[in-house]
Amino acid sequence: MDLAALRRLRLRVQGLRHPFDASAPEVVRRFVAVQSQEFLPAQWGLAARVPEDGRPDAASVAAALDRGDILRTHVLRPTWHFLHPADARWVMELSAERVHRANGTMYRRTGVEGETATRALDLVAGSLAGGHRTRAELSSALEAGGLPFAGLAFGYVLMLAELERVAISGANVGKQRTYAAFDERVPAAAVRPRDEALAELAARFIASRGPVSARDFSVWSGFTLRDARKAFTDAVEPAGTHGSRIEQVDVDGEPHLFDAEVADAASARSNDGEPDAAGPRGTVDLLQAYDEYIMGYAAPRAYLQPPGRADPVQPEFPLHAMMVDGVMCGRWAPVVQAKRATVRIVPWRSFSRAEERSLAASVTQVERFLGVPVTVECEAPTA
């Protein structure tokens, strides 16, 4: 499979061409975990995968987060991710041991270990038993209990509380995000065997992001390549409970797996009848910088590279990624104020008329999502 075909299939499977018949929480469930440290842009990434006639705006996605229909926490690599309540417990249990090992040096350096860590968790749990708490309120609770953690150390206390299933995202208080008791927001469930949970994570990764390699899964999940290879084997085992139509293609000599049933369903959502269709040529996507179309795969992510550019695409300002037909063509950023917003566009090249029309349509979709008038500032192409 060449890179053009790879892009077309991934765009379809990820719902960026023919969106899922799903709500924003159901999009999170489909992807298992969605990277979300860029909080508002990550919410746009969910909305963009919902059909336009039912696409939620920012207020609607924020309300889903407040209700706990979507949760946000540190997991996997780790970084901030959205999780669905039905998946939060087993994914956190699966991920926690490895993240704790990765955090070990910083736990020791910040003093978040041993009896001190246990006391800190008890204080956080006690505070959350009384309701959702802001970071400032949790800091005060720790200080009142004789543990005046601040700065980096306080951050590691909160991450420890997340990984130990004590705390998870709560409802916003104004513009301040809060933490809630984990058991309040996440349904109870039996502990799952590690291999079983890892195989499910792999199977759902293949289904939601394929074609993918074991190396892609290792980088995305934070598990070792050895774990990833075993999980892929378990996920496609004929006697297993996971997808029965997982197929393999080679990309630059490396085996990649995808779920043929998911790919067929993506084709059925289109109106063009073409198996490899990914929308009209010149389709512009305004993606958040950590969108799963970008972060769901291992570097150097050659499928993102525009012609003539061999170096890996690095973070820069503006941060977010502008695509044409799945290939990076520039950067963009939404700057949101109380009653208006600015969308800054920094193209890397000149656009065709079709691309200009598609870009304008994409900006209109962002404007509808934000719910405020948008002014566009477009710089001259850099090349």
Side-chain angles (χ1 to χ4, degrees):
M1 179 176 284
D2 63 21
L3 293 182
L6 180 71
R7 282 191 291 268
R8 288 194 295 269
L9 186 50
R10 285 177 173 173
L11 286 167
R12 283 168 38 223
V13 166
Q14 287 222 10
L16 288 169
R17 283 299 170 269
H18 311 296
F20 311 121
D21 184 15
S23 64
E26 289 165 345
V27 170
V28 175
R29 185 86 195 271
R30 185 183 190 94
F31 281 90
V32 188
V34 175
Q35 192 165 333
S36 64
Q37 67 263 45
E38 291 291 313
F39 190 48
L40 182 62
Q43 294 172 61
W44 159 243
L46 302 180
R49 289 170 165 88
V50 176
E52 283 191 56
D53 58 359
R55 183 168 294 165
D57 60 11
S60 298
V61 181
L65 282 154
D66 283 348
R67 290 192 303 269
D69 297 340
I70 301 170
L71 300 170
R72 185 171 182 253
T73 193
H74 286 90
V75 73
L76 300 176
R77 292 186 288 280
T79 187
W80 285 109
H81 281 80
F82 290 141
L83 295 172
H84 191 278
D87 292 317
R89 189 174 297 273
W90 72 266
V91 174
M92 292 296 292
E93 289 172 349
L94 175 64
S95 180
E97 179 186 359
R98 184 158 185 81
V99 177
H100 280 323
R101 288 201 301 270
N103 286 351
T105 298
M106 292 307 300
Y107 287 154
R108 291 188 292 274
R109 185 176 298 175
T110 56
V112 183
E113 59 178 346
E115 179 60 28
T116 298
T118 300
R119 287 176 54 212
L121 290 177
D122 288 343
L123 290 168
V124 169
S127 181
L128 295 178
H132 298 192
R133 302 293 186 228
T134 64
R135 288 173 63 95
E137 289 169 334
L138 289 174
S139 177
S140 295
L142 288 166
E143 185 171 4
L147 295 177
F149 283 108
L152 190 62
F154 178 60
Y156 274 96
V157 167
L158 294 182
M159 191 187 300
L160 179 68
E162 292 172 314
L163 294 168
E164 288 300 301
R165 281 81 74 196
V166 170
I168 201 162
S169 60
N172 278 8
V173 176
K175 293 185 178 181
Q176 294 188 70
R177 292 188 280 279
T178 71
Y179 288 82
F182 188 90
D183 289 342
E184 173 198 333
R185 307 279 265 187
V186 181
V191 175
R192 301 176 60 179
R194 182 180 186 274
D195 285 353
E196 176 188 305
L198 193 56
E200 176 168 342
L201 189 67
R204 289 172 63 183
F205 178 79
I206 293 166
S208 58
R209 296 166 179 84
V212 286
S213 67
R215 189 165 60 91
D216 291 328
F217 180 63
S218 175
V219 169
W220 174 81
S221 68
F223 288 94
T224 65
L225 187 55
R226 181 178 179 179
D227 277 340
R229 286 170 175 157
K230 184 179 187 307
F232 266 37
T233 298
D234 291 345
V236 301
E237 178 64 40
T241 59
H242 304 293
S244 59
R245 289 195 58 205
I246 293 178
E247 297 182 6
Q248 178 176 309
V249 294
D250 284 348
V251 180
D252 290 335
E254 186 174 11
H256 285 60
L257 303 182
F258 70 99
D259 190 318
E261 290 185 1
V262 172
D264 289 348
S267 293
R269 292 197 303 273
S270 71
N271 295 318
D272 43 47
E274 295 293 330
D276 283 336
R281 285 188 59 82
T283 300
V284 175
D285 292 293
L286 297 176
L287 302 184
Q288 68 130 335
Y290 304 107
D291 192 272
E292 294 302 312
Y293 180 72
I294 300 169
M295 300 306 295
Y297 311 98
R301 305 184 180 99
Y303 66 98
L304 295 176
Q305 305 296 340
R309 182 165 182 161
D311 58 306
V313 176
Q314 300 292 340
E316 57 189 57
F317 184 81
L319 180 63
H320 303 295
M322 182 165 57
M323 306 281 178
V324 170
D325 299 333
V327 176
M328 281 197 69
C329 63
R331 296 283 185 174
W332 75 288
V335 181
V336 183
Q337 297 174 316
K339 296 183 178 179
R340 61 188 176 89
T342 300
V343 170
R344 183 182 176 192
I345 304 291
V346 181
W348 289 347
R349 59 167 176 81
S350 298
F351 279 15
S352 69
R353 288 186 178 180
E355 290 167 350
E356 291 281 6
R357 289 193 295 270
S358 183
L359 173 59
S362 293
V363 171
T364 297
Q365 292 169 13
V366 171
E367 182 177 48
R368 289 173 181 164
F369 171 75
L370 295 175
V372 295
V374 164
T375 300
V376 178
E377 295 180 356
C378 188
E379 296 188 7
T382 58

